[in-house]
């Protein structure tokens, strides 16, 4: 089965690096016109490289520097997309942040910032997206969550709580907007070999051992594993799937 996104206009929030960048690549390779956001200085550098890569293959794309938690910046982003695209067919909310922190060491300011990035920013992007989709025949939304919601996580409680909040947002979108042919689903990754995980576990041998010990399928996940699920959910082949949560974790959540 070949999955085509030909002609679709898809926005990836947090698309410069890691999972987001792979989703950008795969959307473009599947025929979509893509746009993505970034915010940090490392995201800006990664965007330059990703832009060169897509331009060299003749892909059509846009990129924007936007803080996903900034309401005004988000409104301006969507206003620009209305002018440039006229419609939006797919949204992937991939913006996220976490780093190890013991429960009682999390300050309230840290809690609010992590919830802002992982949950509140998703609400802002989804709110603006559904308004565009309602007027153009519907579309698909994919939220990138975390398999940590099944276990309580091994990193930090604010991140787990925020990602769990995406479950409620997912169902609410379906309740309110399924009638408008808008679908919403979540992909929950676990132990994906991104640059962030490599920073936390810099030794390749130890990362390999981590995958063998922690994951029933015997390896760490790759960004392609998450992107494959997202591309399917964005496509017309997933046209009867909504309000679902898909664990892409090599069996780790339920087989440890």
């Amino acid at each position: 089965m070949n999955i085509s996104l030909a002609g679709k206009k898809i926005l990836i929030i947090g698309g410069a690096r890691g999972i987001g960048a792979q989703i950008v690549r795969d959307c473009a390779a599947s025929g979509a016109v893509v746009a993505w956001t970034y915010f940090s200085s490392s995201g800006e550098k990664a965007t330059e490289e990703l832009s060169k890569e897509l331009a060299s293959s003749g892909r059509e794309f846009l990129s924007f520097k936007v803080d996903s938690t900034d309401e005004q910046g988000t409104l301006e982003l969507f206003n620009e997309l209305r002018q440039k695209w006229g419609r939006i067919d797919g949204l992937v909310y991939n913006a996220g942040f976490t780093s190890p922190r013991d429960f009682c060491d999390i300050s309230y300011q840290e809690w609010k910032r992590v919830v802002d990035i992982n949950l509140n920013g998703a609400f802002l992007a989804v709110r603006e997206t559904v308004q565009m989709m309602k007027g153009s025949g519907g579309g698909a939304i994919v939220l990138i969550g975390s398999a940590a919601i099944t276990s309580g996580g091994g990193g930090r409680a604010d991140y787990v709580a925020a990602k769990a909040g995406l479950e409620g947002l997912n169902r609410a979108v379906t309740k309110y907007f399924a009638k408008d042919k808008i679908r919403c689903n979540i992909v929950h990754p676990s132990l994906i070999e991104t640059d962030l995980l490599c920073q936390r576990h810099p030794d390749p041998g130890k990362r390999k051992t981590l995958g063998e010990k922690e994951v029933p399928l015997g390896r760490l996940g790759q960004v392609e594993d998450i992107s494959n699920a997202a591309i399917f959910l964005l496509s017309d082949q997933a046209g009867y799937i909504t309000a679902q949560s898909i664990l892409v974790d090599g069996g780790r959540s339920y087989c440890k």
Side-chain angles (χ1 to χ4, degrees):
M1 179 175 66
N2 293 322
I3 295 179
S4 173
L5 300 177
K8 293 186 183 295
K9 296 179 177 180
I10 296 175
L11 170 64
I12 298 91
I13 303 292
R17 301 163 58 195
I19 291 169
Q22 190 62 43
I23 294 172
V24 168
R25 291 186 188 98
D26 290 344
C27 282
S30 298
V33 177
V34 294
W36 71 90
T37 69
Y38 64 92
F39 185 62
S40 67
S41 56
S42 60
E44 186 168 8
K45 183 177 180 180
T47 284
E48 291 175 4
E49 294 302 315
L50 184 56
S51 297
K52 291 177 185 176
E53 180 184 332
L54 294 183
S56 69
S57 57
R59 306 299 183 187
E60 187 177 347
F61 63 90
L62 298 167
S63 63
F64 302 90
K65 186 174 185 178
V66 179
D67 181 347
S68 61
T69 69
D70 176 19
E71 183 175 20
Q72 186 58 40
T74 299
L75 291 173
E76 291 171 2
L77 164 65
F78 278 87
N79 284 336
E80 190 160 351
L81 289 177
R82 283 186 182 92
Q83 293 173 19
K84 292 181 181 295
W85 283 358
R87 72 175 200 275
I88 184 169
D89 302 300
L91 168 74
V92 178
Y93 190 84
N94 179 63
F97 169 78
T98 187
S99 62
R101 180 83 76 188
D102 286 341
F103 190 104
C104 293
D105 291 335
I106 299 172
S107 71
Y108 186 46
Q109 288 303 117
E110 287 178 310
W111 176 280
K112 289 192 289 185
R113 180 60 178 162
V114 170
V115 172
D116 259 354
I117 295 169
N118 290 284
L119 178 59
N120 297 341
F123 162 72
L124 292 175
V126 169
R127 185 186 67 184
E128 299 309 306
T129 295
V130 295
Q131 292 182 76
M132 290 184 69
M133 286 181 173
K134 283 175 68 177
S136 59
I141 296 168
V142 178
L143 308 173
I144 305 300
S146 171
I149 68 166
T150 64
S151 65
R156 52 189 301 162
D158 42 11
Y159 176 77
V160 177
K163 291 298 190 183
L166 292 177
E167 292 277 350
L169 178 61
N170 182 33
R171 292 163 192 162
V173 171
T174 295
K175 181 177 178 65
Y176 285 102
F177 301 110
K179 66 181 183 298
D180 299 300
K181 297 182 172 57
I182 297 172
R183 298 183 296 105
C184 188
N185 295 285
I186 304 181
V187 175
H188 289 301
S190 177
L191 286 183
I192 306 302
E193 200 166 14
T194 62
D195 54 348
L196 293 176
L197 187 136
C198 290
Q199 289 171 16
R200 189 172 176 182
H201 303 281
D203 184 275
K206 291 183 178 179
R207 287 201 304 275
K208 184 173 184 294
T209 299
L210 178 67
E212 291 170 346
K213 288 185 174 181
E214 290 288 324
V215 182
L217 285 182
R219 66 171 177 88
L220 294 176
Q222 301 301 307
V223 291
E224 292 85 355
D225 294 315
I226 307 307
S227 182
N228 288 341
I231 297 300
F232 170 68
L233 292 170
L234 289 167
S235 75
D236 293 340
Q237 281 92 333
Y240 203 56
I241 302 174
T242 193
Q244 300 305 302
S245 299
I246 300 177
L247 286 164
V248 183
D249 68 346
R252 182 170 183 250
S253 296
Y254 295 120
C255 300
K256 286 182 69 176

